[in-house]
Amino acid sequence: MSGLLPSDGNVDTGGESAPRVHWLDDDETEQLIGSLSCDTAREILSCLQESPATATELAEMVDTSIQNARHHLGNLLDADLVRVAGTRYSEKGREMKVYASVSAPLVVCVGGDEDNREDFADAISSFLE
């Protein structure tokens, strides 16, 4: 059966490249920091920065259960730190999502005047592009 379905699906290794600037007191930043509060989540994100992988592959790489890997992937997806880059097929013919890190630089800022935040974010973005 392994010859009937391609094990290597199409995987988009590109991604957004525009820098993201967040402020510590934003709701979106709370979700982002929360998703990275666990060592396992950070290990998964580090693995995905090396190369795209399925949840099963990531679970093996970071020595955790598939359920735990999927939990952290869900949190990382919600925080826009990873994305689904494509699909692959398992040996049993099941379609599996392939995950990749979002390649855009990310900056979290603390403090600053509300009126100057947009100018500051633009300056950081132009520096990182």
Side-chain angles (χ1 to χ4, degrees):
M1 176 149 182
S2 63
L4 296 177
L5 295 173
S7 60
D8 295 333
N10 291 331
V11 177
D12 174 16
T13 57
E16 68 178 90
S17 59
R20 295 169 35 199
V21 179
H22 293 278
W23 297 93
L24 191 58
D25 57 357
D26 290 343
D27 291 336
E28 199 174 325
T29 305
E30 181 179 343
Q31 184 176 30
L32 184 139
I33 291 173
S35 72
L36 293 172
S37 64
C38 179
D39 290 341
T40 304
R42 291 190 303 273
E43 287 178 41
I44 287 171
L45 184 58
S46 292
C47 289
L48 290 175
Q49 290 180 342
E50 296 294 320
S51 67
T54 65
T56 302
E57 293 166 341
L58 289 165
E60 290 175 11
M61 286 184 230
V62 301
D63 194 28
T64 191
S65 68
I66 184 85
Q67 294 84 1
N68 195 32
R70 285 186 178 139
H71 167 75
H72 290 296
L73 282 166
N75 291 341
L76 294 168
L77 279 164
D78 290 344
D80 292 325
L81 292 172
V82 301
R83 62 191 175 80
V84 176
T87 57
R88 288 188 192 143
Y89 291 92
S90 71
E91 291 179 7
K92 295 180 180 181
R94 292 189 179 126
E95 187 174 83
M96 302 180 299
K97 293 178 183 176
V98 178
Y99 299 91
S101 68
V102 175
S103 59
L106 174 68
V107 177
V108 176
C109 302
V110 179
D113 186 353
E114 287 279 334
D115 298 331
N116 296 329
R117 285 186 175 187
E118 189 173 329
D119 293 338
F120 186 73
D122 288 344
I124 289 174
S125 293
S126 66
F127 176 73
L128 294 174
E129 289 178 340

